[in-house]
Coordinates of all heavy atoms in Angstrom, one line a residue:
V502 N 35.3 150.1 54.6 CA 34.2 151.0 54.9 C 34.2 151.5 56.3 O 34.1 152.7 56.6 CB 32.8 150.5 54.4 CG1 31.7 151.4 54.9 CG2 32.8 150.3 52.9
P503 N 34.2 150.6 57.4 CA 34.2 151.2 58.7 C 35.4 152.0 59.1 O 35.3 152.9 59.9 CB 34.1 149.9 59.6 CG 34.6 148.8 58.8 CD 34.2 149.2 57.4
Y504 N 36.5 151.7 58.5 CA 37.7 152.5 58.7 C 37.5 153.9 58.2 O 37.9 154.9 58.8 CB 39.0 151.9 58.1 CG 40.3 152.4 58.6 CD1 40.8 152.0 59.8 CD2 41.0 153.4 57.9 CE1 41.9 152.5 60.3 CE2 42.1 153.9 58.4 CZ 42.6 153.4 59.6 OH 43.8 154.0 60.1
I505 N 36.9 154.0 57.0 CA 36.6 155.3 56.4 C 35.6 156.1 57.3 O 35.7 157.3 57.5 CB 36.1 155.2 55.0 CG1 37.2 154.7 54.1 CG2 35.6 156.6 54.4 CD1 36.8 154.3 52.7
T506 N 34.5 155.4 57.7 CA 33.5 156.0 58.5 C 34.1 156.4 59.9 O 33.7 157.5 60.4 CB 32.3 155.1 58.7 OG1 32.7 153.8 59.1 CG2 31.5 155.0 57.4
G507 N 35.0 155.6 60.4 CA 35.6 156.0 61.6 C 36.5 157.3 61.5 O 36.6 158.2 62.3
W508 N 37.2 157.3 60.3 CA 38.1 158.5 60.0 C 37.2 159.7 59.9 O 37.5 160.8 60.4 CB 38.9 158.3 58.8 CG 39.6 159.5 58.3 CD1 40.8 159.9 58.8 CD2 39.2 160.4 57.3 NE1 41.2 161.1 58.1 CE2 40.2 161.4 57.2 CE3 38.1 160.5 56.4 CZ2 40.1 162.4 56.3 CZ3 38.0 161.5 55.6 CH2 39.0 162.5 55.5
L509 N 36.0 159.6 59.2 CA 35.1 160.7 59.1 C 34.6 161.2 60.4 O 34.4 162.4 60.6 CB 33.9 160.3 58.2 CG 34.2 160.2 56.7 CD1 33.0 159.6 55.9 CD2 34.6 161.5 56.1
R510 N 34.4 160.2 61.3 CA 33.9 160.6 62.7 C 35.0 161.4 63.4 O 34.7 162.5 64.0 CB 33.6 159.3 63.5 CG 33.6 159.5 65.0 CD 32.5 160.4 65.5 NE 32.5 160.6 66.9 CZ 33.4 161.4 67.6 NH1 34.3 162.1 67.0 NH2 33.3 161.5 68.9
D511 N 36.3 161.0 63.3 CA 37.4 161.7 63.9 C 37.5 163.1 63.3 O 37.8 164.1 64.0 CB 38.7 160.9 63.8 CG 38.8 159.9 64.9 OD1 38.0 159.9 65.8 OD2 39.7 159.0 64.8
A512 N 37.4 163.2 61.9 CA 37.7 164.4 61.2 C 36.6 165.5 61.4 O 36.8 166.7 61.5 CB 37.8 164.1 59.7
S513 N 35.3 165.0 61.5 CA 34.2 165.9 61.6 C 33.7 166.1 63.0 O 33.0 167.1 63.3 CB 33.0 165.4 60.7 OG 32.5 164.2 61.3
G514 N 34.0 165.2 63.9 CA 33.6 165.4 65.3 C 32.2 164.7 65.7 O 31.8 164.7 66.8
D515 N 31.5 164.2 64.6 CA 30.3 163.4 64.9 C 30.1 162.4 63.8 O 30.9 162.3 62.9 CB 29.1 164.3 65.0 CG 28.8 165.2 63.8 OD1 29.0 164.6 62.7 OD2 28.4 166.3 63.9
F516 N 29.0 161.6 63.9 CA 28.8 160.6 62.9 C 28.0 161.0 61.7 O 27.7 160.1 60.8 CB 28.2 159.4 63.6 CG 29.2 158.5 64.4 CD1 29.2 158.7 65.8 CD2 30.0 157.6 63.8 CE1 30.1 157.9 66.5 CE2 30.9 156.9 64.5 CZ 31.0 157.0 65.9
Q517 N 27.6 162.2 61.6 CA 26.7 162.6 60.5 C 27.4 162.4 59.1 O 26.7 162.0 58.2 CB 26.3 164.1 60.7 CG 25.4 164.3 61.9 CD 24.1 163.5 61.8 OE1 24.1 162.4 62.3 NE2 23.1 164.0 61.2
A518 N 28.7 162.7 59.0 CA 29.4 162.5 57.8 C 29.4 161.0 57.4 O 29.3 160.6 56.2 CB 30.8 163.1 57.8
S519 N 29.6 160.2 58.4 CA 29.6 158.7 58.2 C 28.3 158.2 57.7 O 28.3 157.4 56.7 CB 29.9 158.0 59.5 OG 31.1 158.5 60.1
W520 N 27.2 158.7 58.3 CA 25.9 158.2 57.8 C 25.6 158.8 56.4 O 24.9 158.1 55.6 CB 24.8 158.6 58.8 CG 25.0 158.2 60.2 CD1 24.5 158.9 61.3 CD2 25.6 157.0 60.8 NE1 24.9 158.2 62.5 CE2 25.5 157.1 62.2 CE3 26.3 155.9 60.2 CZ2 26.1 156.1 63.0 CZ3 26.8 154.9 61.0 CH2 26.7 155.0 62.4
T521 N 26.1 160.0 56.1 CA 25.9 160.5 54.8 C 26.6 159.7 53.7 O 26.0 159.4 52.7 CB 26.4 162.0 54.7 OG1 25.7 162.8 55.7 CG2 26.3 162.6 53.3
L522 N 27.8 159.2 54.0 CA 28.5 158.4 53.1 C 27.8 157.1 52.8 O 27.6 156.6 51.7 CB 29.9 158.0 53.6 CG 30.7 157.0 52.8 CD1 31.1 157.6 51.5 CD2 32.0 156.6 53.6
L523 N 27.2 156.4 53.9 CA 26.5 155.2 53.7 C 25.2 155.4 53.0 O 24.8 154.6 52.2 CB 26.2 154.6 55.1 CG 27.5 154.1 55.9 CD1 27.1 153.6 57.3 CD2 28.2 153.0 55.1
T524 N 24.6 156.5 53.2 CA 23.3 156.9 52.4 C 23.6 157.0 50.9 O 22.9 156.4 50.1 CB 22.7 158.2 52.9 OG1 22.4 158.1 54.3 CG2 21.5 158.5 52.2
C525 N 24.7 157.7 50.6 CA 25.1 157.8 49.2 C 25.5 156.4 48.6 O 25.1 156.2 47.4 CB 26.3 158.7 49.1 SG 25.9 160.5 49.5
T526 N 26.1 155.6 49.3 CA 26.4 154.2 48.8 C 25.1 153.4 48.5 O 25.1 152.8 47.5 CB 27.2 153.5 49.9 OG1 28.4 154.2 50.2 CG2 27.6 152.1 49.4
V527 N 24.1 153.5 49.4 CA 22.9 152.8 49.1 C 22.2 153.4 47.9 O 21.7 152.6 47.0 CB 21.9 153.0 50.4 CG1 20.5 152.4 50.0 CG2 22.5 152.2 51.6
L528 N 22.2 154.7 47.7 CA 21.7 155.2 46.5 C 22.4 154.7 45.2 O 21.7 154.4 44.2 CB 21.7 156.8 46.5 CG 20.8 157.5 47.5 CD1 21.2 158.9 47.7 CD2 19.3 157.3 47.0
A529 N 23.7 154.6 45.3 CA 24.5 154.1 44.1 C 24.1 152.7 43.8 O 23.9 152.3 42.7 CB 25.9 154.3 44.4
M530 N 24.0 151.9 44.9 CA 23.7 150.4 44.7 C 22.3 150.2 44.1 O 22.0 149.2 43.4 CB 23.8 149.7 46.0 CG 25.3 149.6 46.5 SD 26.5 148.9 45.2 CE 27.2 150.5 44.6
L531 N 21.3 151.1 44.4 CA 20.0 151.1 43.8 C 20.1 151.1 42.3 O 19.4 150.4 41.6 CB 19.1 152.2 44.3 CG 18.5 152.0 45.7 CD1 17.9 153.3 46.2 CD2 17.3 151.0 45.6
L532 N 21.0 151.9 41.8 CA 21.2 152.1 40.4 C 21.9 150.9 39.8 O 21.5 150.4 38.7 CB 21.9 153.4 40.0 CG 21.3 154.7 40.5 CD1 22.2 155.9 40.2 CD2 20.0 154.9 39.8
V533 N 22.9 150.4 40.4 CA 23.7 149.2 39.9 C 22.8 148.0 39.8 O 23.0 147.1 38.9 CB 24.9 149.0 40.8 CG1 25.6 147.7 40.4 CG2 25.8 150.2 40.8
T534 N 21.8 147.8 40.7 CA 21.0 146.6 40.7 C 20.3 146.4 39.4 O 20.0 145.2 39.0 CB 20.0 146.7 41.9 OG1 20.6 146.9 43.1 CG2 19.1 145.5 42.0
V535 N 20.1 147.4 38.6 CA 19.4 147.3 37.3 C 20.2 146.3 36.4 O 19.6 145.5 35.6 CB 19.4 148.6 36.6 CG1 18.8 148.5 35.2 CG2 18.5 149.6 37.4
R536 N 21.5 146.1 36.6 CA 22.3 145.3 35.7 C 22.1 143.8 35.9 O 22.5 143.0 35.0 CB 23.8 145.6 36.0 CG 24.3 147.0 35.8 CD 24.5 147.2 34.3 NE 25.4 146.3 33.6 CZ 26.7 146.4 33.6 NH1 27.3 147.5 34.2 NH2 27.5 145.6 33.0
F537 N 21.4 143.4 37.0 CA 21.4 142.0 37.3 C 20.1 141.3 36.8 O 19.4 140.6 37.6 CB 21.6 141.8 38.8 CG 22.9 142.3 39.2 CD1 23.0 143.2 40.3 CD2 24.1 141.9 38.7 CE1 24.2 143.7 40.7 CE2 25.3 142.4 39.1 CZ 25.4 143.3 40.1
A538 N 19.8 141.4 35.6 CA 18.6 140.7 35.0 C 19.0 139.2 34.8 O 20.0 138.9 34.3 CB 18.2 141.3 33.7
P539 N 18.1 138.3 35.3 CA 18.4 136.8 35.2 C 18.8 136.3 33.8 O 19.7 135.5 33.7 CB 17.2 136.2 35.8 CG 16.5 137.2 36.6 CD 16.8 138.5 35.9
K540 N 18.1 136.8 32.8 CA 18.4 136.3 31.5 C 19.8 136.7 31.0 O 20.3 136.0 30.1 CB 17.4 136.9 30.5 CG 15.9 136.4 30.7 CD 15.0 137.0 29.7 CE 13.6 136.5 29.9 NZ 12.6 137.1 28.9
G541 N 20.4 137.6 31.7 CA 21.8 138.0 31.2 C 22.9 137.4 32.0 O 24.0 137.6 31.8
Y542 N 22.5 136.5 33.0 CA 23.6 135.9 33.9 C 24.6 135.2 33.0 O 25.8 135.5 33.1 CB 23.0 134.9 34.9 CG 22.2 135.5 36.0 CD1 21.4 134.6 36.8 CD2 22.1 136.9 36.2 CE1 20.6 135.1 37.8 CE2 21.3 137.4 37.3 CZ 20.6 136.5 38.0 OH 19.8 137.0 39.1

Side-chain angles (χ1 to χ4, degrees):
V502 173
Y504 197 79
I505 294 174
T506 51
W508 174 81
L509 286 171
R510 161 64 182 80
D511 277 348
S513 65
D515 59 40
F516 282 101
Q517 294 301 89
S519 305
W520 307 147
T521 300
L522 174 65
L523 295 176
T524 301
C525 292
T526 300
V527 171
L528 287 169
M530 293 306 99
L531 279 165
L532 298 176
V533 174
T534 303
V535 176
R536 298 284 303 276
F537 299 125
K540 291 182 179 178
Y542 290 169

